[in-house]
């Protein structure tokens, strides 16, 4: 039997990557030979970090995971999935509030390409309240985000919100 490598794409804004994202990512690495974290440009969302900064922060956070790669993409997700010869899209589901949007996206992507499956993964319960938006708000107000993001992300947030940027 010929074994083909199973690849998943984990897409998102990752503005910035949090421990919740990393929890989902660890779970995905158990199911797939290769997982590509694909940072969406999403200029319309007015991200705090540039695309280069977001990819760099993901790359640093996954450097100890040999089957994980950090990349960026623009445009249609299904086109990117095909380009990378992947079979599946991984998304995280935190609460019912995530469901409606995710359901719509998954079905739309299936309409565009029936060969691609969307897999939903639930994070550890302590991360269900965590989002990049909350982390940014806390950091801006001077709150301690060290239990929510890796150390290098905390440093990057502090630099963004520093009153005297370098
Ligand atoms: P997007 O703008 O595409 O929603 P995000 O970076 O906010 O990008 O999220 C990317 C994916 O990670 C989404 O599927 C989102 O539901 C999931 N996610 C975000 N935060 C968490 C978390 N704390 N636990 C589990 N999944 C999460």
């Amino acid at each position: 039997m010929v074994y083909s490598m199973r690849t998943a794409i984990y897409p998102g804004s990752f503005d910035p990557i949090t421990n919740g994202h990393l929890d989902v990512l660890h779970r995905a690495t158990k199911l797939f030979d290769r997982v590509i974290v694909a940072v969406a440009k999403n200029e319309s969302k007015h991200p705090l970090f540039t695309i280069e900064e977001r990819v760099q922060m993901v790359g640093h956070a996954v450097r100890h995971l040999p089957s994980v790669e950090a990349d960026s993409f623009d445009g249609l997700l299904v086109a990117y999935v095909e380009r990378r010869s992947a079979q599946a899209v991984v998304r995280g589901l935190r609460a019912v509030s995530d469901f409606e949007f995710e359901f719509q996206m998954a079905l739309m992507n299936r309409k565009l390409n029936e060969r691609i499956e969307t897999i939903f993964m639930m994070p550890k319960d302590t991360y269900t309240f965590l989002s990049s938006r909350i982390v940014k708000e806390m950091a801006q107000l001077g709150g301690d985000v060290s239990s929510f993001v890796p150390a290098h992300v905390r440093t990057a947030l502090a630099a963004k919100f520093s009153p005297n940027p370098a």
Side-chain angles (χ1 to χ4, degrees):
M1 198 178 96
V2 178
Y3 179 77
S4 65
M5 186 147 107
R6 310 301 296 176
T7 301
I9 305 293
Y10 182 20
S13 311
F14 301 101
D15 184 40
I17 188 161
T18 70
N19 292 342
H21 291 129
L22 288 169
D23 180 286
V24 168
L25 182 61
H26 278 120
R27 292 171 201 281
T29 59
K30 294 185 207 153
L31 299 179
F32 294 93
D33 302 305
R34 183 171 64 140
V35 181
I36 301 169
V37 182
V39 183
K41 276 217 170 105
N42 273 352
E43 293 305 341
S44 60
K45 279 197 173 180
H46 304 293
L48 174 66
F49 292 100
T50 66
I51 184 74
E52 292 81 15
E53 288 170 329
R54 285 179 278 146
V55 173
Q56 201 269 333
M57 282 187 281
V58 172
H60 195 269
V62 304
R63 67 197 187 290
H64 61 294
L65 299 169
S67 65
V68 179
E69 180 192 322
D71 192 12
S72 62
F73 79 102
D74 202 7
L76 264 189
L77 173 62
V78 290
Y80 177 76
V81 174
E82 285 273 305
R83 229 167 33 244
R84 299 303 315 262
S85 310
Q87 293 80 26
V89 169
V90 168
R91 294 285 289 177
L93 267 191
R94 282 162 291 192
V96 182
S97 50
D98 277 339
F99 180 78
E100 197 161 310
F101 173 74
E102 293 295 341
F103 182 70
Q104 198 177 12
M105 280 284 290
L107 291 189
M108 181 54 83
N109 284 336
R110 182 183 285 165
K111 269 251 176 305
L112 294 173
N113 188 330
E114 281 211 352
R115 291 186 302 279
I116 301 169
E117 294 296 343
T118 303
I119 314 273
F120 293 102
M121 309 206 78
M122 263 71 79
K124 191 167 175 242
D125 54 3
T126 46
Y127 295 133
T128 52
F129 64 90
L130 190 54
S131 69
S132 299
R133 186 178 58 80
I134 293 272
V135 163
K136 284 181 281 191
E137 282 176 14
M138 281 183 59
Q140 186 163 23
L141 297 171
D144 179 11
V145 294
S146 52
S147 50
F148 307 130
V149 294
H152 67 284
V153 173
R154 184 169 59 109
T155 306
L157 281 163
K160 276 278 177 205
F161 293 123
S162 154
N164 306 306

